[in-house]
PDB file of all heavy atoms in Angstrom:
ATOM      1  N   ALA L   1       0.890  -1.175   0.005  1.00  0.00           N
ATOM      2  CA  ALA L   1       0.111  -0.052   0.003  1.00  0.00           C
ATOM      3  C   ALA L   1       0.887   1.241   0.040  1.00  0.00           C
ATOM      4  O   ALA L   1       0.543   2.297  -0.726  1.00  0.00           O
ATOM      5  CB  ALA L   1      -0.973  -0.030   1.215  1.00  0.00           C
ATOM      6  N   LEU L   2       1.934   1.310   0.799  1.00  0.00           N
ATOM      7  CA  LEU L   2       2.776   2.475   0.810  1.00  0.00           C
ATOM      8  C   LEU L   2       3.560   2.622  -0.458  1.00  0.00           C
ATOM      9  O   LEU L   2       3.748   3.692  -0.955  1.00  0.00           O
ATOM     10  CB  LEU L   2       3.867   2.201   2.001  1.00  0.00           C
ATOM     11  CG  LEU L   2       3.258   2.345   3.436  1.00  0.00           C
ATOM     12  CD1 LEU L   2       4.241   1.769   4.461  1.00  0.00           C
ATOM     13  CD2 LEU L   2       2.694   3.684   3.686  1.00  0.00           C
ATOM     14  N   ILE L   3       3.965   1.557  -1.120  1.00  0.00           N
ATOM     15  CA  ILE L   3       4.731   1.603  -2.483  1.00  0.00           C
ATOM     16  C   ILE L   3       3.636   2.175  -3.461  1.00  0.00           C
ATOM     17  O   ILE L   3       4.115   2.956  -4.286  1.00  0.00           O
ATOM     18  CB  ILE L   3       5.213   0.245  -2.853  1.00  0.00           C
ATOM     19  CG1 ILE L   3       6.246  -0.260  -2.000  1.00  0.00           C
ATOM     20  CG2 ILE L   3       5.593   0.328  -4.415  1.00  0.00           C
ATOM     21  CD1 ILE L   3       6.775  -1.660  -2.310  1.00  0.00           C
ATOM     22  N   GLN L   4       2.396   1.787  -3.298  1.00  0.00           N
ATOM     23  CA  GLN L   4       1.496   2.448  -4.259  1.00  0.00           C
ATOM     24  C   GLN L   4       1.220   3.877  -3.978  1.00  0.00           C
ATOM     25  O   GLN L   4       1.170   4.605  -4.958  1.00  0.00           O
ATOM     26  CB  GLN L   4       0.046   1.762  -4.123  1.00  0.00           C
ATOM     27  CG  GLN L   4      -1.025   2.090  -5.043  1.00  0.00           C
ATOM     28  CD  GLN L   4      -0.700   1.837  -6.428  1.00  0.00           C
ATOM     29  OE1 GLN L   4      -0.025   0.867  -6.665  1.00  0.00           O
ATOM     30  NE2 GLN L   4      -1.293   2.670  -7.293  1.00  0.00           N
ATOM     31  N   ASP L   5       1.311   4.294  -2.793  1.00  0.00           N
ATOM     32  CA  ASP L   5       1.239   5.692  -2.315  1.00  0.00           C
ATOM     33  C   ASP L   5       2.417   6.456  -2.922  1.00  0.00           C
ATOM     34  O   ASP L   5       2.302   7.549  -3.479  1.00  0.00           O
ATOM     35  CB  ASP L   5       1.281   5.869  -0.831  1.00  0.00           C
ATOM     36  CG  ASP L   5      -0.106   5.397  -0.308  1.00  0.00           C
ATOM     37  OD1 ASP L   5      -1.126   5.351  -1.092  1.00  0.00           O
ATOM     38  OD2 ASP L   5      -0.098   5.290   1.035  1.00  0.00           O
ATOM     39  N   ILE L   6       3.546   5.796  -3.031  1.00  0.00           N
ATOM     40  CA  ILE L   6       4.772   6.463  -3.571  1.00  0.00           C
ATOM     41  C   ILE L   6       4.664   6.629  -4.981  1.00  0.00           C
ATOM     42  O   ILE L   6       4.963   7.670  -5.603  1.00  0.00           O
ATOM     43  CB  ILE L   6       6.053   5.609  -3.167  1.00  0.00           C
ATOM     44  CG1 ILE L   6       6.339   5.739  -1.572  1.00  0.00           C
ATOM     45  CG2 ILE L   6       7.285   6.129  -3.951  1.00  0.00           C
ATOM     46  CD1 ILE L   6       7.455   4.908  -1.202  1.00  0.00           C
ATOM     47  N   ARG L   7       4.181   5.574  -5.676  1.00  0.00           N
ATOM     48  CA  ARG L   7       3.916   5.667  -7.216  1.00  0.00           C
ATOM     49  C   ARG L   7       3.010   6.858  -7.440  1.00  0.00           C
ATOM     50  O   ARG L   7       3.371   7.485  -8.509  1.00  0.00           O
ATOM     51  CB  ARG L   7       3.467   4.401  -7.647  1.00  0.00           C
ATOM     52  CG  ARG L   7       4.330   3.177  -7.702  1.00  0.00           C
ATOM     53  CD  ARG L   7       3.701   2.007  -8.590  1.00  0.00           C
ATOM     54  NE  ARG L   7       4.445   0.953  -8.477  1.00  0.00           N
ATOM     55  CZ  ARG L   7       4.141  -0.196  -7.641  1.00  0.00           C
ATOM     56  NH1 ARG L   7       3.013  -0.146  -7.034  1.00  0.00           N
ATOM     57  NH2 ARG L   7       4.930  -1.264  -7.657  1.00  0.00           N
ATOM     58  N   GLU L   8       2.101   7.139  -6.780  1.00  0.00           N
ATOM     59  CA  GLU L   8       1.089   8.080  -6.959  1.00  0.00           C
ATOM     60  C   GLU L   8       1.431   9.471  -6.396  1.00  0.00           C
ATOM     61  O   GLU L   8       0.714  10.367  -6.615  1.00  0.00           O
ATOM     62  CB  GLU L   8      -0.218   7.660  -6.588  1.00  0.00           C
ATOM     63  CG  GLU L   8      -0.659   6.387  -7.311  1.00  0.00           C
ATOM     64  CD  GLU L   8      -1.973   5.917  -6.784  1.00  0.00           C
ATOM     65  OE1 GLU L   8      -2.499   6.283  -5.801  1.00  0.00           O
ATOM     66  OE2 GLU L   8      -2.552   4.720  -7.291  1.00  0.00           O
ATOM     67  N   CYS L   9       2.593   9.612  -5.713  1.00  0.00           N
ATOM     68  CA  CYS L   9       2.875  10.746  -5.002  1.00  0.00           C
ATOM     69  C   CYS L   9       3.439  11.828  -6.072  1.00  0.00           C
ATOM     70  O   CYS L   9       4.370  11.485  -6.758  1.00  0.00           O
ATOM     71  CB  CYS L   9       3.916  10.562  -4.034  1.00  0.00           C
ATOM     72  SG  CYS L   9       4.547  11.947  -3.115  1.00  0.00           S
ATOM     73  N   CYS L  10       2.888  12.941  -6.020  1.00  0.00           N
ATOM     74  CA  CYS L  10       3.374  14.054  -6.850  1.00  0.00           C
ATOM     75  C   CYS L  10       4.125  15.155  -6.120  1.00  0.00           C
ATOM     76  O   CYS L  10       4.280  16.313  -6.708  1.00  0.00           O
ATOM     77  CB  CYS L  10       2.085  14.649  -7.620  1.00  0.00           C
ATOM     78  SG  CYS L  10       1.344  13.529  -8.737  1.00  0.00           S
ATOM     79  N   GLY L  11       4.650  14.735  -4.935  1.00  0.00           N
ATOM     80  CA  GLY L  11       5.301  15.753  -4.197  1.00  0.00           C
ATOM     81  C   GLY L  11       4.421  16.330  -3.003  1.00  0.00           C
ATOM     82  O   GLY L  11       3.345  15.952  -2.847  1.00  0.00           O
ATOM     83  N   PRO L  12       5.151  17.228  -2.306  1.00  0.00           N
ATOM     84  CA  PRO L  12       6.441  17.699  -2.340  1.00  0.00           C
ATOM     85  C   PRO L  12       7.421  16.534  -1.777  1.00  0.00           C
ATOM     86  O   PRO L  12       7.053  15.494  -1.276  1.00  0.00           O
ATOM     87  CB  PRO L  12       6.548  18.879  -1.515  1.00  0.00           C
ATOM     88  CG  PRO L  12       5.457  18.641  -0.441  1.00  0.00           C
ATOM     89  CD  PRO L  12       4.350  17.868  -1.209  1.00  0.00           C
ATOM     90  N   GLN L  13       8.772  16.985  -1.735  1.00  0.00           N
ATOM     91  CA  GLN L  13       9.727  15.957  -1.346  1.00  0.00           C
ATOM     92  C   GLN L  13       9.530  15.554   0.083  1.00  0.00           C
ATOM     93  O   GLN L  13       9.825  14.424   0.400  1.00  0.00           O
ATOM     94  CB  GLN L  13      11.126  16.691  -1.549  1.00  0.00           C
ATOM     95  CG  GLN L  13      11.611  16.816  -2.921  1.00  0.00           C
ATOM     96  CD  GLN L  13      11.962  15.522  -3.577  1.00  0.00           C
ATOM     97  OE1 GLN L  13      12.200  14.527  -2.950  1.00  0.00           O
ATOM     98  NE2 GLN L  13      12.277  15.612  -5.002  1.00  0.00           N
ATOM     99  N   ALA L  14       9.030  16.387   0.863  1.00  0.00           N
ATOM    100  CA  ALA L  14       8.747  16.046   2.368  1.00  0.00           C
ATOM    101  C   ALA L  14       7.814  14.978   2.490  1.00  0.00           C
ATOM    102  O   ALA L  14       7.993  14.101   3.263  1.00  0.00           O
ATOM    103  CB  ALA L  14       8.295  17.287   2.985  1.00  0.00           C
ATOM    104  N   VAL L  15       6.708  14.847   1.598  1.00  0.00           N
ATOM    105  CA  VAL L  15       5.728  13.745   1.624  1.00  0.00           C
ATOM    106  C   VAL L  15       6.462  12.493   1.207  1.00  0.00           C
ATOM    107  O   VAL L  15       6.242  11.436   1.857  1.00  0.00           O
ATOM    108  CB  VAL L  15       4.594  14.145   0.635  1.00  0.00           C
ATOM    109  CG1 VAL L  15       3.655  12.805   0.593  1.00  0.00           C
ATOM    110  CG2 VAL L  15       3.907  15.363   1.125  1.00  0.00           C
ATOM    111  N   LEU L  16       7.264  12.460   0.105  1.00  0.00           N
ATOM    112  CA  LEU L  16       8.003  11.394  -0.261  1.00  0.00           C
ATOM    113  C   LEU L  16       8.930  10.818   0.832  1.00  0.00           C
ATOM    114  O   LEU L  16       9.010   9.605   1.014  1.00  0.00           O
ATOM    115  CB  LEU L  16       8.801  11.678  -1.504  1.00  0.00           C
ATOM    116  CG  LEU L  16       9.652  10.513  -2.076  1.00  0.00           C
ATOM    117  CD1 LEU L  16       8.767   9.312  -2.462  1.00  0.00           C
ATOM    118  CD2 LEU L  16      10.465  10.931  -3.371  1.00  0.00           C
ATOM    119  N   MET L  17       9.594  11.734   1.493  1.00  0.00           N
ATOM    120  CA  MET L  17      10.620  11.295   2.572  1.00  0.00           C
ATOM    121  C   MET L  17       9.827  10.623   3.723  1.00  0.00           C
ATOM    122  O   MET L  17      10.163   9.686   4.310  1.00  0.00           O
ATOM    123  CB  MET L  17      11.261  12.568   3.007  1.00  0.00           C
ATOM    124  CG  MET L  17      12.352  13.061   2.079  1.00  0.00           C
ATOM    125  SD  MET L  17      13.094  14.612   2.681  1.00  0.00           S
ATOM    126  CE  MET L  17      13.953  13.956   4.054  1.00  0.00           C
ATOM    127  N   GLU L  18       8.626  11.145   4.003  1.00  0.00           N
ATOM    128  CA  GLU L  18       7.740  10.673   5.024  1.00  0.00           C
ATOM    129  C   GLU L  18       7.402   9.198   4.693  1.00  0.00           C
ATOM    130  O   GLU L  18       7.456   8.350   5.539  1.00  0.00           O
ATOM    131  CB  GLU L  18       6.609  11.520   5.328  1.00  0.00           C
ATOM    132  CG  GLU L  18       5.794  11.025   6.565  1.00  0.00           C
ATOM    133  CD  GLU L  18       4.614  11.955   6.883  1.00  0.00           C
ATOM    134  OE1 GLU L  18       4.487  13.065   6.324  1.00  0.00           O
ATOM    135  OE2 GLU L  18       3.809  11.602   7.721  1.00  0.00           O
ATOM    136  N   LEU L  19       6.863   9.063   3.430  1.00  0.00           N
ATOM    137  CA  LEU L  19       6.456   7.715   2.978  1.00  0.00           C
ATOM    138  C   LEU L  19       7.671   6.744   3.071  1.00  0.00           C
ATOM    139  O   LEU L  19       7.528   5.611   3.530  1.00  0.00           O
ATOM    140  CB  LEU L  19       5.897   7.760   1.591  1.00  0.00           C
ATOM    141  CG  LEU L  19       4.612   8.584   1.310  1.00  0.00           C
ATOM    142  CD1 LEU L  19       4.248   8.676  -0.003  1.00  0.00           C
ATOM    143  CD2 LEU L  19       3.499   7.708   2.123  1.00  0.00           C
ATOM    144  N   ASN L  20       8.816   7.145   2.611  1.00  0.00           N
ATOM    145  CA  ASN L  20       9.962   6.256   2.685  1.00  0.00           C
ATOM    146  C   ASN L  20      10.393   5.911   4.014  1.00  0.00           C
ATOM    147  O   ASN L  20      10.920   4.748   4.271  1.00  0.00           O
ATOM    148  CB  ASN L  20      11.193   6.942   1.938  1.00  0.00           C
ATOM    149  CG  ASN L  20      11.019   6.803   0.474  1.00  0.00           C
ATOM    150  OD1 ASN L  20      10.526   5.885  -0.125  1.00  0.00           O
ATOM    151  ND2 ASN L  20      11.367   7.869  -0.300  1.00  0.00           N
ATOM    152  N   SER L  21      10.316   6.746   5.023  1.00  0.00           N
ATOM    153  CA  SER L  21      10.537   6.462   6.354  1.00  0.00           C
ATOM    154  C   SER L  21       9.678   5.342   6.817  1.00  0.00           C
ATOM    155  O   SER L  21      10.159   4.477   7.627  1.00  0.00           O
ATOM    156  CB  SER L  21      10.537   7.847   7.219  1.00  0.00           C
ATOM    157  OG  SER L  21      10.674   7.479   8.630  1.00  0.00           O
ATOM    158  N   THR L  22       8.457   5.420   6.569  1.00  0.00           N
ATOM    159  CA  THR L  22       7.390   4.535   7.024  1.00  0.00           C
ATOM    160  C   THR L  22       7.678   3.183   6.301  1.00  0.00           C
ATOM    161  O   THR L  22       7.600   2.145   7.025  1.00  0.00           O
ATOM    162  CB  THR L  22       5.955   4.943   6.705  1.00  0.00           C
ATOM    163  OG1 THR L  22       5.767   6.301   7.274  1.00  0.00           O
ATOM    164  CG2 THR L  22       4.968   3.930   7.254  1.00  0.00           C
ATOM    165  N   VAL L  23       8.005   3.114   5.071  1.00  0.00           N
ATOM    166  CA  VAL L  23       8.412   1.893   4.392  1.00  0.00           C
ATOM    167  C   VAL L  23       9.494   1.287   5.012  1.00  0.00           C
ATOM    168  O   VAL L  23       9.538  -0.060   5.242  1.00  0.00           O
ATOM    169  CB  VAL L  23       8.606   2.089   2.916  1.00  0.00           C
ATOM    170  CG1 VAL L  23       9.196   0.847   2.195  1.00  0.00           C
ATOM    171  CG2 VAL L  23       7.327   2.587   2.222  1.00  0.00           C
ATOM    172  N   LYS L  24      10.524   1.966   5.451  1.00  0.00           N
ATOM    173  CA  LYS L  24      11.873   1.434   6.014  1.00  0.00           C
ATOM    174  C   LYS L  24      11.373   0.823   7.416  1.00  0.00           C
ATOM    175  O   LYS L  24      11.925  -0.306   7.612  1.00  0.00           O
ATOM    176  CB  LYS L  24      12.780   2.533   6.283  1.00  0.00           C
ATOM    177  CG  LYS L  24      13.515   3.033   4.956  1.00  0.00           C
ATOM    178  CD  LYS L  24      14.481   4.084   5.345  1.00  0.00           C
ATOM    179  CE  LYS L  24      15.156   4.661   4.117  1.00  0.00           C
ATOM    180  NZ  LYS L  24      16.120   5.865   4.414  1.00  0.00           N
ATOM    181  N   GLU L  25      10.500   1.387   8.102  1.00  0.00           N
ATOM    182  CA  GLU L  25      10.158   0.804   9.346  1.00  0.00           C
ATOM    183  C   GLU L  25       9.380  -0.512   9.187  1.00  0.00           C
ATOM    184  O   GLU L  25       9.622  -1.567   9.876  1.00  0.00           O
ATOM    185  CB  GLU L  25       9.236   1.695  10.111  1.00  0.00           C
ATOM    186  CG  GLU L  25       8.807   1.295  11.486  1.00  0.00           C
ATOM    187  CD  GLU L  25       7.755   2.269  12.103  1.00  0.00           C
ATOM    188  OE1 GLU L  25       7.604   3.383  11.610  1.00  0.00           O
ATOM    189  OE2 GLU L  25       7.289   1.967  13.230  1.00  0.00           O
ATOM    190  N   LYS L  26       8.483  -0.499   8.235  1.00  0.00           N
ATOM    191  CA  LYS L  26       7.756  -1.748   7.916  1.00  0.00           C
ATOM    192  C   LYS L  26       8.646  -2.929   7.364  1.00  0.00           C
ATOM    193  O   LYS L  26       8.462  -3.958   7.741  1.00  0.00           O
ATOM    194  CB  LYS L  26       6.687  -1.505   6.808  1.00  0.00           C
ATOM    195  CG  LYS L  26       5.541  -0.561   7.242  1.00  0.00           C
ATOM    196  CD  LYS L  26       4.871  -1.072   8.553  1.00  0.00           C
ATOM    197  CE  LYS L  26       3.720  -0.145   8.975  1.00  0.00           C
ATOM    198  NZ  LYS L  26       2.975  -0.552  10.190  1.00  0.00           N
ATOM    199  N   PHE L  27       9.669  -2.589   6.627  1.00  0.00           N
ATOM    200  CA  PHE L  27      10.586  -3.487   6.165  1.00  0.00           C
ATOM    201  C   PHE L  27      11.393  -4.063   7.263  1.00  0.00           C
ATOM    202  O   PHE L  27      11.659  -5.333   7.307  1.00  0.00           O
ATOM    203  CB  PHE L  27      11.679  -2.995   4.986  1.00  0.00           C
ATOM    204  CG  PHE L  27      11.140  -3.111   3.612  1.00  0.00           C
ATOM    205  CD1 PHE L  27      10.846  -1.998   2.837  1.00  0.00           C
ATOM    206  CD2 PHE L  27      10.801  -4.388   3.173  1.00  0.00           C
ATOM    207  CE1 PHE L  27      10.461  -2.168   1.497  1.00  0.00           C
ATOM    208  CE2 PHE L  27      10.508  -4.579   1.828  1.00  0.00           C
ATOM    209  CZ  PHE L  27      10.185  -3.516   1.041  1.00  0.00           C
ATOM    210  N   SER L  28      11.736  -3.318   8.250  1.00  0.00           N
ATOM    211  CA  SER L  28      12.461  -3.758   9.366  1.00  0.00           C
ATOM    212  C   SER L  28      11.608  -4.727  10.223  1.00  0.00           C
ATOM    213  O   SER L  28      12.178  -5.793  10.696  1.00  0.00           O
ATOM    214  CB  SER L  28      12.908  -2.548  10.231  1.00  0.00           C
ATOM    215  OG  SER L  28      13.571  -2.959  11.439  1.00  0.00           O
ATOM    216  N   GLN L  29      10.318  -4.344  10.393  1.00  0.00           N
ATOM    217  CA  GLN L  29       9.510  -5.324  11.249  1.00  0.00           C
ATOM    218  C   GLN L  29       9.251  -6.589  10.455  1.00  0.00           C
ATOM    219  O   GLN L  29       9.315  -7.773  10.969  1.00  0.00           O
ATOM    220  CB  GLN L  29       8.189  -4.593  11.358  1.00  0.00           C
ATOM    221  CG  GLN L  29       8.273  -3.540  12.398  1.00  0.00           C
ATOM    222  CD  GLN L  29       6.927  -2.627  12.387  1.00  0.00           C
ATOM    223  OE1 GLN L  29       6.039  -2.660  11.493  1.00  0.00           O
ATOM    224  NE2 GLN L  29       6.726  -1.830  13.469  1.00  0.00           N
ATOM    225  N   LEU L  30       9.215  -6.517   9.000  1.00  0.00           N
ATOM    226  CA  LEU L  30       8.934  -7.680   8.152  1.00  0.00           C
ATOM    227  C   LEU L  30      10.184  -8.551   8.338  1.00  0.00           C
ATOM    228  O   LEU L  30      10.061  -9.840   8.485  1.00  0.00           O
ATOM    229  CB  LEU L  30       8.748  -7.262   6.812  1.00  0.00           C
ATOM    230  CG  LEU L  30       8.667  -8.426   5.792  1.00  0.00           C
ATOM    231  CD1 LEU L  30       7.388  -9.437   6.082  1.00  0.00           C
ATOM    232  CD2 LEU L  30       8.401  -7.985   4.352  1.00  0.00           C
ATOM    233  N   ARG L  31      11.263  -7.945   8.257  1.00  0.00           N
ATOM    234  CA  ARG L  31      12.605  -8.771   8.236  1.00  0.00           C
ATOM    235  C   ARG L  31      12.648  -9.544   9.556  1.00  0.00           C
ATOM    236  O   ARG L  31      13.124 -10.743   9.645  1.00  0.00           O
ATOM    237  CB  ARG L  31      13.757  -7.886   8.116  1.00  0.00           C
ATOM    238  CG  ARG L  31      15.056  -8.576   7.777  1.00  0.00           C
ATOM    239  CD  ARG L  31      16.201  -7.550   7.392  1.00  0.00           C
ATOM    240  NE  ARG L  31      15.951  -6.881   6.093  1.00  0.00           N
ATOM    241  CZ  ARG L  31      15.547  -5.490   6.227  1.00  0.00           C
ATOM    242  NH1 ARG L  31      15.316  -4.913   7.416  1.00  0.00           N
ATOM    243  NH2 ARG L  31      15.372  -4.918   5.014  1.00  0.00           N
ATOM    244  N   LEU L  32      12.317  -8.855  10.649  1.00  0.00           N
ATOM    245  CA  LEU L  32      12.454  -9.524  12.022  1.00  0.00           C
ATOM    246  C   LEU L  32      11.578 -10.813  12.124  1.00  0.00           C
ATOM    247  O   LEU L  32      11.737 -11.779  12.617  1.00  0.00           O
ATOM    248  CB  LEU L  32      12.111  -8.530  13.031  1.00  0.00           C
ATOM    249  CG  LEU L  32      13.180  -7.459  13.403  1.00  0.00           C
ATOM    250  CD1 LEU L  32      12.625  -6.428  14.390  1.00  0.00           C
ATOM    251  CD2 LEU L  32      14.488  -8.105  13.894  1.00  0.00           C
ATOM    252  N   ARG L  33      10.301 -10.590  11.606  1.00  0.00           N
ATOM    253  CA  ARG L  33       9.370 -11.619  11.686  1.00  0.00           C
ATOM    254  C   ARG L  33       9.675 -12.858  10.711  1.00  0.00           C
ATOM    255  O   ARG L  33       9.516 -14.080  11.061  1.00  0.00           O
ATOM    256  CB  ARG L  33       7.868 -11.191  11.302  1.00  0.00           C
ATOM    257  CG  ARG L  33       7.310 -10.204  12.139  1.00  0.00           C
ATOM    258  CD  ARG L  33       7.362 -10.623  13.661  1.00  0.00           C
ATOM    259  NE  ARG L  33       6.397 -11.600  13.896  1.00  0.00           N
ATOM    260  CZ  ARG L  33       6.592 -12.531  14.833  1.00  0.00           C
ATOM    261  NH1 ARG L  33       7.652 -12.428  15.746  1.00  0.00           N
ATOM    262  NH2 ARG L  33       5.676 -13.352  15.084  1.00  0.00           N
ATOM    263  N   ILE L  34      10.350 -12.565   9.563  1.00  0.00           N
ATOM    264  CA  ILE L  34      10.775 -13.618   8.713  1.00  0.00           C
ATOM    265  C   ILE L  34      11.965 -14.355   9.434  1.00  0.00           C
ATOM    266  O   ILE L  34      12.069 -15.567   9.492  1.00  0.00           O
ATOM    267  CB  ILE L  34      11.325 -13.009   7.279  1.00  0.00           C
ATOM    268  CG1 ILE L  34      10.127 -12.557   6.517  1.00  0.00           C
ATOM    269  CG2 ILE L  34      12.109 -14.128   6.530  1.00  0.00           C
ATOM    270  CD1 ILE L  34      10.549 -11.902   5.218  1.00  0.00           C
ATOM    271  N   GLN L  35      12.833 -13.743  10.158  1.00  0.00           N
ATOM    272  CA  GLN L  35      13.896 -14.230  10.932  1.00  0.00           C
ATOM    273  C   GLN L  35      13.259 -15.178  11.993  1.00  0.00           C
ATOM    274  O   GLN L  35      13.860 -16.284  12.408  1.00  0.00           O
ATOM    275  CB  GLN L  35      14.842 -13.245  11.602  1.00  0.00           C
ATOM    276  CG  GLN L  35      15.655 -12.645  10.517  1.00  0.00           C
ATOM    277  CD  GLN L  35      16.559 -11.468  11.040  1.00  0.00           C
ATOM    278  OE1 GLN L  35      16.319 -11.079  12.238  1.00  0.00           O
ATOM    279  NE2 GLN L  35      17.293 -10.720  10.201  1.00  0.00           N
ATOM    280  N   ASP L  36      12.136 -14.731  12.684  1.00  0.00           N
ATOM    281  CA  ASP L  36      11.503 -15.446  13.741  1.00  0.00           C
ATOM    282  C   ASP L  36      11.052 -16.820  13.211  1.00  0.00           C
ATOM    283  O   ASP L  36      11.154 -17.851  13.748  1.00  0.00           O
ATOM    284  CB  ASP L  36      10.307 -14.636  14.402  1.00  0.00           C
ATOM    285  CG  ASP L  36      10.964 -13.518  15.190  1.00  0.00           C
ATOM    286  OD1 ASP L  36      12.141 -13.507  15.522  1.00  0.00           O
ATOM    287  OD2 ASP L  36      10.117 -12.587  15.453  1.00  0.00           O
ATOM    288  N   MET L  37      10.432 -16.655  11.932  1.00  0.00           N
ATOM    289  CA  MET L  37       9.815 -17.872  11.372  1.00  0.00           C
ATOM    290  C   MET L  37      10.944 -18.870  11.053  1.00  0.00           C
ATOM    291  O   MET L  37      10.751 -20.061  11.210  1.00  0.00           O
ATOM    292  CB  MET L  37       9.064 -17.553  10.135  1.00  0.00           C
ATOM    293  CG  MET L  37       8.418 -18.799   9.398  1.00  0.00           C
ATOM    294  SD  MET L  37       7.282 -18.361   8.127  1.00  0.00           S
ATOM    295  CE  MET L  37       5.797 -18.046   8.967  1.00  0.00           C
ATOM    296  N   GLU L  38      12.048 -18.293  10.540  1.00  0.00           N
ATOM    297  CA  GLU L  38      13.320 -19.269  10.211  1.00  0.00           C
ATOM    298  C   GLU L  38      13.829 -20.017  11.426  1.00  0.00           C
ATOM    299  O   GLU L  38      13.991 -21.097  11.525  1.00  0.00           O
ATOM    300  CB  GLU L  38      14.219 -18.299   9.574  1.00  0.00           C
ATOM    301  CG  GLU L  38      15.457 -19.288   8.991  1.00  0.00           C
ATOM    302  CD  GLU L  38      16.430 -18.494   8.223  1.00  0.00           C
ATOM    303  OE1 GLU L  38      16.534 -17.166   8.569  1.00  0.00           O
ATOM    304  OE2 GLU L  38      17.055 -18.934   7.298  1.00  0.00           O
ATOM    305  N   GLN L  39      13.814 -19.284  12.624  1.00  0.00           N
ATOM    306  CA  GLN L  39      14.206 -19.874  13.894  1.00  0.00           C
ATOM    307  C   GLN L  39      13.262 -20.984  14.342  1.00  0.00           C
ATOM    308  O   GLN L  39      13.747 -21.860  14.796  1.00  0.00           O
ATOM    309  CB  GLN L  39      14.359 -18.709  14.867  1.00  0.00           C
ATOM    310  CG  GLN L  39      14.950 -19.223  16.194  1.00  0.00           C
ATOM    311  CD  GLN L  39      16.277 -19.792  16.220  1.00  0.00           C
ATOM    312  OE1 GLN L  39      17.145 -19.443  15.396  1.00  0.00           O
ATOM    313  NE2 GLN L  39      16.541 -20.967  16.928  1.00  0.00           N
ATOM    314  N   MET L  40      11.895 -20.609  14.080  1.00  0.00           N
ATOM    315  CA  MET L  40      10.884 -21.709  14.566  1.00  0.00           C
ATOM    316  C   MET L  40      11.117 -22.924  13.710  1.00  0.00           C
ATOM    317  O   MET L  40      10.947 -24.005  14.138  1.00  0.00           O
ATOM    318  CB  MET L  40       9.459 -21.075  14.215  1.00  0.00           C
ATOM    319  CG  MET L  40       9.197 -20.055  15.286  1.00  0.00           C
ATOM    320  SD  MET L  40       7.530 -19.321  14.852  1.00  0.00           S
ATOM    321  CE  MET L  40       7.427 -17.775  15.806  1.00  0.00           C
ATOM    322  N   ALA L  41      11.415 -22.788  12.401  1.00  0.00           N
ATOM    323  CA  ALA L  41      11.682 -23.888  11.512  1.00  0.00           C
ATOM    324  C   ALA L  41      12.740 -24.914  12.094  1.00  0.00           C
ATOM    325  O   ALA L  41      12.669 -26.000  12.159  1.00  0.00           O
ATOM    326  CB  ALA L  41      11.869 -23.420  10.180  1.00  0.00           C
ATOM    327  N   LYS L  42      13.866 -24.131  12.519  1.00  0.00           N
ATOM    328  CA  LYS L  42      15.061 -24.859  13.049  1.00  0.00           C
ATOM    329  C   LYS L  42      14.820 -25.604  14.306  1.00  0.00           C
ATOM    330  O   LYS L  42      15.515 -26.516  14.624  1.00  0.00           O
ATOM    331  CB  LYS L  42      16.226 -23.899  13.301  1.00  0.00           C
ATOM    332  CG  LYS L  42      16.686 -23.276  11.988  1.00  0.00           C
ATOM    333  CD  LYS L  42      17.806 -22.270  12.173  1.00  0.00           C
ATOM    334  CE  LYS L  42      18.337 -21.627  10.990  1.00  0.00           C
ATOM    335  NZ  LYS L  42      19.551 -20.654  11.207  1.00  0.00           N
TER     336      LYS L  42
END
């Protein structure tokens, strides 16, 4: 959903930076949960 917002964002730069900051946070949370699942598998 956030990537779709970025595609449709027409500015200004501050809005784009805010969206990217949120995406980074979500990627960090996603990466941690994937690592948790990998540990559960082991």
Side-chain angles (χ1 to χ4, degrees):
L2 290 167
I3 292 174
Q4 183 65 27
D5 289 343
I6 292 174
R7 287 195 187 101
E8 298 173 353
C9 177
C10 297
Q13 289 285 351
V15 174
L16 179 60
M17 290 176 63
E18 183 177 354
L19 287 171
N20 281 324
S21 176
T22 305
V23 172
K24 289 179 182 178
E25 180 182 352
K26 295 299 180 182
F27 268 122
S28 177
Q29 293 171 336
L30 175 61
R31 193 175 296 105
L32 287 176
R33 295 311 287 155
I34 290 175
Q35 291 174 355
D36 290 342
M37 179 173 282
E38 188 173 30
Q39 182 61 35
M40 291 179 194
K42 294 177 181 178

